[in-house]
Amino acid sequence: MALAHTILTVLSEKPASGYDISKQFEETVVCYWKATQQQIYRELGKMEQQGWVCCQVVPQLGKPDRKVYAITETGRQELSRWSAEPTWPTPIREDLLVRVLGGPYGSRTQLLEEVQRRRAIHGQQLASYQEHEAEVLAHAALPLQEQFRYLTLRRGILYEQEWIRWCDEVIAFLDAQPPGC
């Protein structure tokens, strides 16, 4: 998935500044896509050159002018074209998996500590997602856009739950090993 297509999807809902897009990434897209503000602004410049977005400069008192981006018809066509393409699973590149694979050759204590640390990180992220889920579910009837956004949040929740389950499995395995292994 290209960053540009993620931005086009965000802009399909409503025009936004680069800062607003960055906040949207932090609040809803973080489950499956990460980008810095610098990456977003750089991508918006490229997208504007391609005609996928247009920019309106909004003057502000006492602040720098605000650039508000909107998706163009060309951008909608590109998003539609991209949406019709098949998707493929993203290859996993995970340092912790390599460390577990190398478990017999390193310190079991260090590996155990690292898996416990990672479990805690995934637990914190899960708690954050579940807090957001509770806020979403507190609304009686979600608009269609929010229902789709909720589906991506659910994927983030399931992802974190699976990490925690796997970490627990590794921790139990390491704890069951005889000393000195």
Side-chain angles (χ1 to χ4, degrees), residues 72-131:
T72 63
E73 184 54 38
T74 303
R76 289 189 192 287
Q77 290 171 2
E78 170 55 23
L79 188 57
S80 178
R81 182 205 63 75
W82 174 80
S83 294
E85 291 180 354
T87 62
W88 302 101
T90 304
I92 297 174
R93 291 182 50 170
E94 177 57 59
D95 290 346
L96 184 57
L97 294 177
V98 177
R99 289 186 186 183
V100 170
L101 178 65
Y105 315 111
S107 164
R108 184 173 46 143
T109 302
Q110 288 176 338
L111 180 58
L112 180 61
E113 288 172 359
E114 181 57 17
V115 174
Q116 289 170 333
R117 187 186 75 80
R118 283 292 296 274
R119 187 196 188 287
I121 291 169
H122 290 289
Q124 290 168 349
Q125 190 62 60
L126 176 60
S128 173
Y129 290 165
Q130 287 174 328
E131 182 179 309

